[in-house]
Amino acid sequence: MKNYCFGIDVGGTTVKCGVFKIDGTLVDKWEITTNVENNGEHILPDVAEAVLGKISDMGIDKDDVAGIGIGVPGPVKEDGSLVAAVNLHWGYHNIVKEMEELTGIPTKAGNDANVAALGEMWKGGGAGYQNVLMVTLGTGVGGGIVMNGKIVTGSHGAAAEIGHAHVDDSITDPCNCGNCGCLEQVASATGIVRLAKEELAKTNLTTVLNQQDLSAKTVFDAYKEEDAVAKVIVDRFARYLGNALAVFTAVVDPEIIVIGGGVSKAGQVLVDAVQTYYRKNAFHTCKNIPIALAELGNDAGICGAAKMVLE
Amino acid sequence: MKNYCFGIDVGGTTVKCGVFKIDGTLVDKWEITTNVENNGEHILPDVAEAVLGKISDMGIDKDDVAGIGIGVPGPVKEDGSLVAAVNLHWGYHNIVKEMEELTGIPTKAGNDANVAALGEMWKGGGAGYQNVLMVTLGTGVGGGIVMNGKIVTGSHGAAAEIGHAHVDDSITDPCNCGNCGCLEQVASATGIVRLAKEELAKTNLTTVLNQQDLSAKTVFDAYKEEDAVAKVIVDRFARYLGNALAVFTAVVDPEIIVIGGGVSKAGQVLVDAVQTYYRKNAFHTCKNIPIALAELGNDAGICGAAKMVLE
């Protein structure tokens, strides 16, 4: 009888681990440090040790475990192979094969943003739906697409790489991906700071914002106080993101859009601003697709990873 | 034993019909007139009559027929229901249920552009692949997405409505869909004429083009002769379409892009022009996705419709 499963979310500094009952209850969660030394060669063995240690601590049998789900920060193909996780200095790995060899437990792997989307569909902002487009506004912009309850990986593990959707021909400095004019450059936390710097450099309006203390949070805080410059900045951000979401829904036509990541802590005002442009430019049958805030925060990854196993 | 299947492609003026062996061989094809009178109430009965008549003519048994696939010009949900086919003045129909009642033969239905994509995957420009993004450049711009060999319909039957992806905030006159700035307004046959008119109105360059005799064909013919104004027009078209395709592939990450429709008769020069912008702005793992020309022409619809049955 399989009573438990593990959900693992490999990040750049920590690996988040969760153990769930197969009914979906989170039993325990904890973190270990991500050891990126020697091109990340310790990462999977460390995760395996954490999982096997927890199984031992819980006094359960390996046969009690339905599987391990693991999300990693890079493109993952349907066969469970990671193309490359640049931030971890990881090259090609077959995550599934290696974890199964290390633990003897069936494993599924996915891209972290895709896995987070599955988590939000399961227990968060997308609960009750089977077709979810999630956009994560953090340091970068990530994305995840779930169709009929399953993660869409794409042919090269690059589906939902919507942070690198090209949205502006006039941007000439490069994104981390090497291209110029990506959504990430204007809609991430750093992208919002970019827009703010540009606006502050040219505005004559009075504002509480200043070049030294800019962040997505200070901009949205000022926006909530009806600061004139913050309004212009948020409007530009909302136009970029709302228009981009309108394009994405014309491609995959989800039931719901979920917005997560640190920037989304701005709350409903962010959704409202984005929705204005979304509704203006979305295809008519998609205009009323709801836009919701993510609800799971840092747990989205472990939840989605566990859900991969439970599917 | 099921030896045959039917592929039906309902268009605005004619319904294209094909009968195939289940190994995929096209046995016969013909057309009937699309009777749009009384909100299209005759369309499905006419198709049923055509199918049953052909079965009778061929001297085969209804039990010999694996099924009927039918493509219609409107959003079709996974349950086979048509939301509305505006051009046929059709409102809601459950195509599958109605055709099965009329013929007693199992039926599958799909959106015509999606079905054409499946056809091109099966026997045309996308042959050998299972993940295809097709864009059809005709009077409008249609799209179809096939993932793992199956049509992606979306939650409202609107997946791959990429002609209505928003690509330009500066366009203020409405698209047929009611929005402003859709890809269809700049990349369809009529969209290319729009770009040409704009360019002719402001250029000082010598050109063979003139306001009275503009079409996608005259523009591409002039482009092939290195006409200076045609170069500017095609470059604008290619930038819009190439950039948009780069966004679409960041969403669904296909193995191949197939370009069809009347405009694609311009041939490889069109692909080359579009590919320049595509490669510039596509996400790095998607830059080398091949862009191919469609090969089936008007048969894409009947082929894809038949393929729905054979899946």
Side-chain angles (χ1 to χ4, degrees), chain A residues 155-156 158 169 179 239 253 282, chain B residues 155-156 158 179 239 253 282 287:
Chain A
S155 307
H156 312 86
D169 271 343
N179 290 347
R239 179 189 289 261
D253 186 18
Chain B
S155 307
H156 314 85
N179 290 347
R239 178 190 291 260
D253 186 18
K287 281 188 195 291

Side-chain angles (χ1 to χ4, degrees), chain A residues 90-101:
Chain A
W90 251 4
Y92 173 85
H93 273 264
N94 191 316
I95 307 274
V96 166
K97 188 162 167 283
E98 290 175 37
M99 276 302 287
E100 289 183 344
E101 283 172 6

Side-chain angles (χ1 to χ4, degrees), chain A residues 52 120 125 138-139 171 201 243 256:
Chain A
L52 295 174
E120 289 289 342
T139 312
I171 294 174
N243 284 357
I256 188 167

